[in-house]
Amino acid sequence: MAKTPQLDKFKKAARDLETDDSEKRFNERLGKIAKQKPAPKPARPKRKAKKKS
């Protein structure tokens, strides 16, 4: 059994998703198969309490 090169797998997936040269359509189709977790919010440094004079 011959292995299918990665490029051929990519081309087949692109055909199956009916992609074209439109960046908007590409992003829509990509969003259906690839999900990204939202980036974690950076921790805010704690503020020091002001001393009363």
Side-chain angles (χ1 to χ4, degrees):
M1 180 188 268
K3 289 187 174 181
T4 305
Q6 186 71 27
L7 179 59
D8 290 340
K9 290 179 185 178
F10 178 81
K11 288 178 181 178
K12 181 183 180 327
R15 280 192 297 272
D16 292 345
L17 293 171
E18 302 173 1
T19 58
D20 56 21
D21 289 339
S22 169
E23 184 175 349
K24 180 181 177 187
R25 184 170 170 155
F26 173 80
N27 289 332
E28 289 171 356
R29 297 293 176 139
L30 182 62
K32 290 183 179 182
I33 61 171
K35 302 292 181 191
Q36 181 177 0
K37 292 182 180 179
K41 293 182 179 178
R44 295 190 316 177
K46 293 184 178 180
R47 299 173 113 183
K48 293 182 180 179
K50 292 183 179 180
K51 292 183 180 180
K52 293 185 178 181
S53 303

